Amino acid sequence: MATMIDLVNASSSSSSSSSASISPSSSLSSSASTPPISTTSPAILPIFITCDPARDTPQVLKTYLSEFHPAMVGLTGSWEDIKRVCKLYRVYFSTPEGVKPGMDYLVDHSIYIYLMDPEGDFVEAIGRQHSAERAAKIINEHINDWKGKGKGIRSV
């Protein structure tokens, strides 16, 4: 995931006249050939929404998501909030309701990256069958389509 985010943001920043980059040593990407990412105006903001709010506190999410990408934002809430959001985005998940601290259980869920446009509308679901390079290409095509319609990309 880190490689895909870096590829998309680097592609976006290469068309910009001013961009600061993060040094390869501070990037979580495992690929030495991954371009630097923009710190001024990234094209995408990766957001992770937990399906397990009983265990995924803000601190747990912060620690977990730091292993994926430094720009990753983690969201949690009540079990009812998570259920509502999952239903809105048609995400399958199976987390027992009313679990108690320390209980052992499994969470089953769908695994997709949902690409949303700057207005918050769904664009495409990217699955695990896509390589980081293919996913970045798909995202950049949608960004270019959006820009081609004369719509800007908001900075995050």
Side-chain angles (χ1 to χ4, degrees), residues 19-71:
S19 70
S21 64
I22 296 175
S23 69
S25 63
S26 65
S27 173
L28 294 181
S29 171
S30 61
S31 169
S33 62
T34 301
I37 63 173
S38 168
T39 58
T40 57
S41 177
I44 61 173
L45 174 64
I47 298 174
F48 173 92
I49 303 174
T50 183
C51 290
D52 188 10
R55 292 187 284 202
D56 289 344
T57 65
Q59 185 57 46
V60 168
L61 284 177
K62 181 179 180 181
T63 300
Y64 175 70
L65 296 175
S66 70
E67 298 176 20
F68 291 93
H69 196 275

Short mmCIF file of all heavy atoms in Angstrom, two decimals, residues 19-71:
data_model
loop_
_atom_site.label_atom_id
_atom_site.label_comp_id
_atom_site.label_asym_id
_atom_site.label_seq_id
_atom_site.Cartn_x
_atom_site.Cartn_y
_atom_site.Cartn_z
N SER A 19 7.29 21.26 -4.99
CA SER A 19 6.98 20.14 -4.12
C SER A 19 8.19 19.82 -3.28
O SER A 19 9.31 19.84 -3.75
CB SER A 19 6.57 18.91 -4.94
OG SER A 19 7.67 18.39 -5.63
N ALA A 20 7.92 19.56 -2.03
CA ALA A 20 8.97 19.08 -1.15
C ALA A 20 8.86 17.57 -1.13
O ALA A 20 7.79 17.03 -1.31
CB ALA A 20 8.76 19.65 0.25
N SER A 21 9.96 16.90 -0.92
CA SER A 21 9.88 15.44 -0.90
C SER A 21 10.44 14.90 0.39
O SER A 21 11.22 15.55 1.07
CB SER A 21 10.63 14.85 -2.09
OG SER A 21 12.00 15.14 -1.99
N ILE A 22 9.98 13.71 0.70
CA ILE A 22 10.48 13.00 1.87
C ILE A 22 11.64 12.14 1.40
O ILE A 22 11.57 11.52 0.36
CB ILE A 22 9.36 12.13 2.48
CG1 ILE A 22 8.24 13.02 2.99
CG2 ILE A 22 9.89 11.23 3.56
CD1 ILE A 22 7.04 12.27 3.49
N SER A 23 12.70 12.11 2.18
CA SER A 23 13.86 11.32 1.77
C SER A 23 13.52 9.84 1.78
O SER A 23 12.65 9.41 2.53
CB SER A 23 15.03 11.58 2.72
OG SER A 23 14.74 11.03 3.99
N PRO A 24 14.19 9.04 0.93
CA PRO A 24 13.88 7.62 0.89
C PRO A 24 14.01 6.94 2.24
O PRO A 24 13.30 6.00 2.53
CB PRO A 24 14.92 7.07 -0.10
CG PRO A 24 15.30 8.23 -0.94
CD PRO A 24 15.17 9.43 -0.04
N SER A 25 14.89 7.42 3.11
CA SER A 25 15.05 6.77 4.40
C SER A 25 13.84 6.99 5.30
O SER A 25 13.61 6.21 6.22
CB SER A 25 16.31 7.27 5.10
OG SER A 25 16.20 8.66 5.35
N SER A 26 13.05 8.05 5.07
CA SER A 26 11.89 8.28 5.91
C SER A 26 10.61 7.72 5.30
O SER A 26 9.58 7.73 5.93
CB SER A 26 11.71 9.78 6.19
OG SER A 26 11.43 10.46 5.00
N SER A 27 10.67 7.24 4.07
CA SER A 27 9.51 6.65 3.43
C SER A 27 9.38 5.20 3.87
O SER A 27 10.36 4.50 4.05
CB SER A 27 9.67 6.72 1.91
OG SER A 27 8.65 6.02 1.28
N LEU A 28 8.15 4.73 4.04
CA LEU A 28 7.93 3.35 4.45
C LEU A 28 7.94 2.40 3.27
O LEU A 28 7.75 1.22 3.44
CB LEU A 28 6.61 3.23 5.21
CG LEU A 28 6.55 3.95 6.53
CD1 LEU A 28 5.21 3.73 7.19
CD2 LEU A 28 7.66 3.47 7.44
N SER A 29 8.13 2.90 2.09
CA SER A 29 8.14 2.05 0.91
C SER A 29 9.33 1.11 0.94
O SER A 29 10.43 1.48 1.34
CB SER A 29 8.22 2.93 -0.34
OG SER A 29 8.44 2.13 -1.47
N SER A 30 9.11 -0.13 0.50
CA SER A 30 10.20 -1.10 0.49
C SER A 30 10.96 -1.08 -0.82
O SER A 30 11.94 -1.76 -0.98
CB SER A 30 9.65 -2.50 0.76
OG SER A 30 8.74 -2.86 -0.25
N SER A 31 10.50 -0.29 -1.77
CA SER A 31 11.14 -0.26 -3.07
C SER A 31 12.10 0.92 -3.16
O SER A 31 11.73 2.06 -2.95
CB SER A 31 10.07 -0.11 -4.17
OG SER A 31 10.67 0.17 -5.39
N ALA A 32 13.34 0.63 -3.50
CA ALA A 32 14.34 1.69 -3.62
C ALA A 32 14.06 2.59 -4.81
O ALA A 32 14.51 3.72 -4.86
CB ALA A 32 15.73 1.09 -3.74
N SER A 33 13.29 2.09 -5.79
CA SER A 33 13.03 2.89 -6.98
C SER A 33 11.76 3.72 -6.86
O SER A 33 11.37 4.40 -7.79
CB SER A 33 12.90 1.97 -8.21
OG SER A 33 11.80 1.10 -8.03
N THR A 34 11.10 3.69 -5.71
CA THR A 34 9.89 4.47 -5.52
C THR A 34 10.24 5.95 -5.49
O THR A 34 11.11 6.37 -4.75
CB THR A 34 9.20 4.09 -4.20
OG1 THR A 34 8.88 2.70 -4.25
CG2 THR A 34 7.94 4.89 -3.99
N PRO A 35 9.52 6.76 -6.30
CA PRO A 35 9.80 8.19 -6.31
C PRO A 35 9.43 8.83 -4.97
O PRO A 35 8.62 8.30 -4.23
CB PRO A 35 8.87 8.72 -7.42
CG PRO A 35 8.38 7.53 -8.15
CD PRO A 35 8.49 6.37 -7.23
N PRO A 36 10.05 9.99 -4.66
CA PRO A 36 9.71 10.68 -3.42
C PRO A 36 8.26 11.15 -3.47
O PRO A 36 7.73 11.41 -4.54
CB PRO A 36 10.68 11.86 -3.38
CG PRO A 36 11.11 12.05 -4.79
CD PRO A 36 11.04 10.71 -5.45
N ILE A 37 7.64 11.30 -2.30
CA ILE A 37 6.27 11.77 -2.27
C ILE A 37 6.23 13.25 -1.95
O ILE A 37 7.12 13.80 -1.34
CB ILE A 37 5.41 10.97 -1.26
CG1 ILE A 37 5.92 11.17 0.16
CG2 ILE A 37 5.36 9.51 -1.61
CD1 ILE A 37 5.04 10.56 1.22
N SER A 38 5.17 13.89 -2.38
CA SER A 38 4.99 15.30 -2.13
C SER A 38 4.51 15.51 -0.70
O SER A 38 3.65 14.80 -0.22
CB SER A 38 3.94 15.86 -3.10
OG SER A 38 3.55 17.15 -2.70
N THR A 39 5.06 16.52 -0.02
CA THR A 39 4.57 16.85 1.32
C THR A 39 3.74 18.13 1.28
O THR A 39 3.23 18.55 2.30
CB THR A 39 5.73 17.04 2.31
OG1 THR A 39 6.59 18.06 1.82
CG2 THR A 39 6.49 15.74 2.51
N THR A 40 3.62 18.74 0.12
CA THR A 40 2.87 19.99 0.03
C THR A 40 1.43 19.76 -0.40
O THR A 40 0.55 20.44 0.08
CB THR A 40 3.54 20.97 -0.95
OG1 THR A 40 3.65 20.33 -2.22
CG2 THR A 40 4.90 21.39 -0.45
N SER A 41 1.19 18.85 -1.30
CA SER A 41 -0.15 18.68 -1.83
C SER A 41 -0.33 17.26 -2.36
O SER A 41 -0.33 17.04 -3.55
CB SER A 41 -0.38 19.70 -2.95
OG SER A 41 -1.64 19.51 -3.52
N PRO A 42 -0.50 16.28 -1.48
CA PRO A 42 -0.65 14.92 -1.97
C PRO A 42 -1.95 14.75 -2.74
O PRO A 42 -2.94 15.41 -2.45
CB PRO A 42 -0.67 14.08 -0.69
CG PRO A 42 -1.06 15.00 0.39
CD PRO A 42 -0.58 16.36 -0.03
N ALA A 43 -1.91 13.88 -3.73
CA ALA A 43 -3.10 13.64 -4.55
C ALA A 43 -4.12 12.82 -3.79
O ALA A 43 -5.32 12.98 -4.00
CB ALA A 43 -2.70 12.93 -5.83
N ILE A 44 -3.67 11.93 -2.93
CA ILE A 44 -4.60 11.09 -2.20
C ILE A 44 -4.32 11.13 -0.70
O ILE A 44 -3.19 11.33 -0.27
CB ILE A 44 -4.58 9.62 -2.69
CG1 ILE A 44 -3.20 8.99 -2.51
CG2 ILE A 44 -5.06 9.53 -4.12
CD1 ILE A 44 -3.16 7.50 -2.82
N LEU A 45 -5.38 10.96 0.06
CA LEU A 45 -5.28 10.87 1.51
C LEU A 45 -5.78 9.49 1.90
O LEU A 45 -6.97 9.20 1.78
CB LEU A 45 -6.13 11.94 2.19
CG LEU A 45 -6.23 11.85 3.72
CD1 LEU A 45 -4.86 12.06 4.37
CD2 LEU A 45 -7.22 12.87 4.24
N PRO A 46 -4.90 8.59 2.31
CA PRO A 46 -5.34 7.25 2.68
C PRO A 46 -6.01 7.23 4.05
O PRO A 46 -5.46 7.73 5.03
CB PRO A 46 -4.03 6.45 2.70
CG PRO A 46 -2.96 7.47 2.99
CD PRO A 46 -3.45 8.76 2.40
N ILE A 47 -7.22 6.69 4.09
CA ILE A 47 -7.99 6.61 5.32
C ILE A 47 -8.33 5.14 5.58
O ILE A 47 -8.81 4.45 4.70
CB ILE A 47 -9.28 7.44 5.24
CG1 ILE A 47 -8.93 8.91 5.04
CG2 ILE A 47 -10.14 7.25 6.48
CD1 ILE A 47 -10.14 9.80 4.78
N PHE A 48 -8.08 4.70 6.80
CA PHE A 48 -8.39 3.34 7.23
C PHE A 48 -9.51 3.42 8.26
O PHE A 48 -9.40 4.14 9.24
CB PHE A 48 -7.14 2.71 7.87
CG PHE A 48 -7.38 1.36 8.49
CD1 PHE A 48 -7.19 0.20 7.75
CD2 PHE A 48 -7.77 1.25 9.82
CE1 PHE A 48 -7.40 -1.04 8.33
CE2 PHE A 48 -7.98 0.01 10.41
CZ PHE A 48 -7.79 -1.15 9.66
N ILE A 49 -10.59 2.68 8.02
CA ILE A 49 -11.69 2.63 8.98
C ILE A 49 -11.72 1.22 9.56
O ILE A 49 -11.86 0.25 8.83
CB ILE A 49 -13.04 2.97 8.32
CG1 ILE A 49 -12.98 4.36 7.68
CG2 ILE A 49 -14.17 2.89 9.36
CD1 ILE A 49 -14.20 4.73 6.88
N THR A 50 -11.59 1.12 10.86
CA THR A 50 -11.56 -0.18 11.51
C THR A 50 -12.90 -0.90 11.42
O THR A 50 -13.95 -0.27 11.34
CB THR A 50 -11.16 -0.07 12.99
OG1 THR A 50 -11.07 -1.38 13.54
CG2 THR A 50 -12.16 0.73 13.80
N CYS A 51 -12.84 -2.21 11.43
CA CYS A 51 -14.04 -3.05 11.56
C CYS A 51 -14.08 -3.67 12.96
O CYS A 51 -14.91 -4.52 13.23
CB CYS A 51 -14.03 -4.16 10.51
SG CYS A 51 -14.29 -3.58 8.84
N ASP A 52 -13.17 -3.24 13.82
CA ASP A 52 -13.06 -3.82 15.16
C ASP A 52 -12.86 -2.72 16.20
O ASP A 52 -11.80 -2.59 16.81
CB ASP A 52 -11.89 -4.81 15.19
CG ASP A 52 -11.81 -5.59 16.48
OD1 ASP A 52 -12.76 -5.52 17.30
OD2 ASP A 52 -10.80 -6.29 16.68
N PRO A 53 -13.90 -1.91 16.43
CA PRO A 53 -13.72 -0.77 17.34
C PRO A 53 -13.48 -1.17 18.80
O PRO A 53 -12.94 -0.38 19.56
CB PRO A 53 -15.03 0.00 17.20
CG PRO A 53 -16.02 -1.02 16.76
CD PRO A 53 -15.25 -1.98 15.89
N ALA A 54 -13.85 -2.39 19.18
CA ALA A 54 -13.62 -2.82 20.57
C ALA A 54 -12.14 -2.90 20.89
O ALA A 54 -11.71 -2.60 22.00
CB ALA A 54 -14.30 -4.17 20.82
N ARG A 55 -11.33 -3.31 19.91
CA ARG A 55 -9.88 -3.42 20.15
C ARG A 55 -9.10 -2.28 19.52
O ARG A 55 -8.00 -1.96 19.98
CB ARG A 55 -9.37 -4.76 19.59
CG ARG A 55 -9.89 -5.96 20.36
CD ARG A 55 -9.26 -7.24 19.91
NE ARG A 55 -9.82 -7.69 18.63
CZ ARG A 55 -9.78 -8.95 18.21
NH1 ARG A 55 -9.20 -9.88 18.94
NH2 ARG A 55 -10.30 -9.29 17.06
N ASP A 56 -9.63 -1.67 18.47
CA ASP A 56 -8.88 -0.65 17.74
C ASP A 56 -9.15 0.74 18.29
O ASP A 56 -9.93 1.53 17.75
CB ASP A 56 -9.22 -0.71 16.24
CG ASP A 56 -8.63 -1.93 15.57
OD1 ASP A 56 -7.74 -2.56 16.15
OD2 ASP A 56 -9.07 -2.25 14.45
N THR A 57 -8.49 1.06 19.38
CA THR A 57 -8.55 2.40 19.95
C THR A 57 -7.73 3.34 19.07
O THR A 57 -6.93 2.87 18.23
CB THR A 57 -7.96 2.40 21.38
OG1 THR A 57 -6.56 2.08 21.28
CG2 THR A 57 -8.68 1.42 22.29
N PRO A 58 -7.86 4.64 19.23
CA PRO A 58 -7.03 5.55 18.45
C PRO A 58 -5.53 5.25 18.57
O PRO A 58 -4.81 5.28 17.58
CB PRO A 58 -7.39 6.93 19.00
CG PRO A 58 -8.83 6.76 19.42
CD PRO A 58 -8.89 5.36 19.99
N GLN A 59 -5.05 4.95 19.77
CA GLN A 59 -3.62 4.66 19.95
C GLN A 59 -3.22 3.37 19.25
O GLN A 59 -2.16 3.29 18.63
CB GLN A 59 -3.25 4.59 21.43
CG GLN A 59 -1.76 4.41 21.66
CD GLN A 59 -0.91 5.51 21.02
OE1 GLN A 59 -1.22 6.69 21.12
NE2 GLN A 59 0.14 5.13 20.32
N VAL A 60 -4.07 2.34 19.33
CA VAL A 60 -3.79 1.07 18.63
C VAL A 60 -3.73 1.31 17.13
O VAL A 60 -2.82 0.82 16.44
CB VAL A 60 -4.84 0.00 19.00
CG1 VAL A 60 -4.74 -1.21 18.08
CG2 VAL A 60 -4.69 -0.41 20.46
N LEU A 61 -4.69 2.07 16.59
CA LEU A 61 -4.69 2.37 15.16
C LEU A 61 -3.44 3.16 14.76
O LEU A 61 -2.84 2.88 13.72
CB LEU A 61 -5.94 3.16 14.76
CG LEU A 61 -7.23 2.36 14.67
CD1 LEU A 61 -8.39 3.28 14.33
CD2 LEU A 61 -7.11 1.25 13.65
N LYS A 62 -3.06 4.12 15.57
CA LYS A 62 -1.87 4.93 15.26
C LYS A 62 -0.64 4.04 15.13
O LYS A 62 0.13 4.16 14.17
CB LYS A 62 -1.66 5.99 16.34
CG LYS A 62 -0.47 6.88 16.08
CD LYS A 62 -0.34 7.93 17.18
CE LYS A 62 0.85 8.81 16.91
NZ LYS A 62 1.04 9.83 17.94
N THR A 63 -0.46 3.15 16.07
CA THR A 63 0.68 2.24 16.04
C THR A 63 0.60 1.30 14.84
O THR A 63 1.57 1.13 14.10
CB THR A 63 0.75 1.42 17.35
OG1 THR A 63 0.87 2.33 18.44
CG2 THR A 63 1.92 0.46 17.34
N TYR A 64 -0.55 0.68 14.63
CA TYR A 64 -0.75 -0.26 13.53
C TYR A 64 -0.53 0.40 12.17
O TYR A 64 0.19 -0.11 11.32
CB TYR A 64 -2.16 -0.86 13.63
CG TYR A 64 -2.55 -1.76 12.49
CD1 TYR A 64 -1.95 -3.01 12.33
CD2 TYR A 64 -3.52 -1.37 11.58
CE1 TYR A 64 -2.31 -3.85 11.29
CE2 TYR A 64 -3.89 -2.21 10.54
CZ TYR A 64 -3.29 -3.45 10.40
OH TYR A 64 -3.65 -4.27 9.36
N LEU A 65 -1.14 1.56 11.97
CA LEU A 65 -1.08 2.21 10.67
C LEU A 65 0.29 2.82 10.36
O LEU A 65 0.63 3.02 9.20
CB LEU A 65 -2.18 3.26 10.55
CG LEU A 65 -3.60 2.67 10.59
CD1 LEU A 65 -4.63 3.77 10.59
CD2 LEU A 65 -3.83 1.70 9.44
N SER A 66 1.09 3.08 11.38
CA SER A 66 2.43 3.60 11.14
C SER A 66 3.28 2.58 10.37
O SER A 66 4.28 2.95 9.76
CB SER A 66 3.11 3.97 12.46
OG SER A 66 3.43 2.82 13.21
N GLU A 67 2.89 1.32 10.41
CA GLU A 67 3.60 0.28 9.66
C GLU A 67 3.27 0.30 8.17
O GLU A 67 3.95 -0.36 7.39
CB GLU A 67 3.28 -1.09 10.25
CG GLU A 67 3.71 -1.23 11.70
CD GLU A 67 3.31 -2.56 12.30
OE1 GLU A 67 3.04 -3.52 11.54
OE2 GLU A 67 3.27 -2.66 13.53
N PHE A 68 2.23 1.04 7.77
CA PHE A 68 1.81 1.06 6.37
C PHE A 68 2.29 2.29 5.63
O PHE A 68 2.88 2.20 4.57
CB PHE A 68 0.29 0.94 6.27
CG PHE A 68 -0.22 -0.40 6.67
CD1 PHE A 68 -0.62 -0.64 7.98
CD2 PHE A 68 -0.27 -1.44 5.76
CE1 PHE A 68 -1.08 -1.89 8.36
CE2 PHE A 68 -0.73 -2.69 6.14
CZ PHE A 68 -1.13 -2.91 7.44
N HIS A 69 1.98 3.47 6.15
CA HIS A 69 2.36 4.72 5.49
C HIS A 69 2.20 5.87 6.47
O HIS A 69 1.23 5.90 7.23
CB HIS A 69 1.48 4.95 4.25
CG HIS A 69 2.05 5.98 3.34
ND1 HIS A 69 1.83 7.33 3.51
CD2 HIS A 69 2.85 5.87 2.26
CE1 HIS A 69 2.46 8.00 2.56
NE2 HIS A 69 3.09 7.14 1.79
N PRO A 70 3.12 6.84 6.46
CA PRO A 70 3.05 7.93 7.43
C PRO A 70 1.84 8.84 7.25
O PRO A 70 1.44 9.52 8.19
CB PRO A 70 4.36 8.70 7.21
CG PRO A 70 4.83 8.31 5.87
CD PRO A 70 4.31 6.92 5.61
N ALA A 71 1.22 8.85 6.06
CA ALA A 71 0.07 9.72 5.83
C ALA A 71 -1.26 9.05 6.15
O ALA A 71 -2.31 9.68 6.06
CB ALA A 71 0.07 10.18 4.36
#
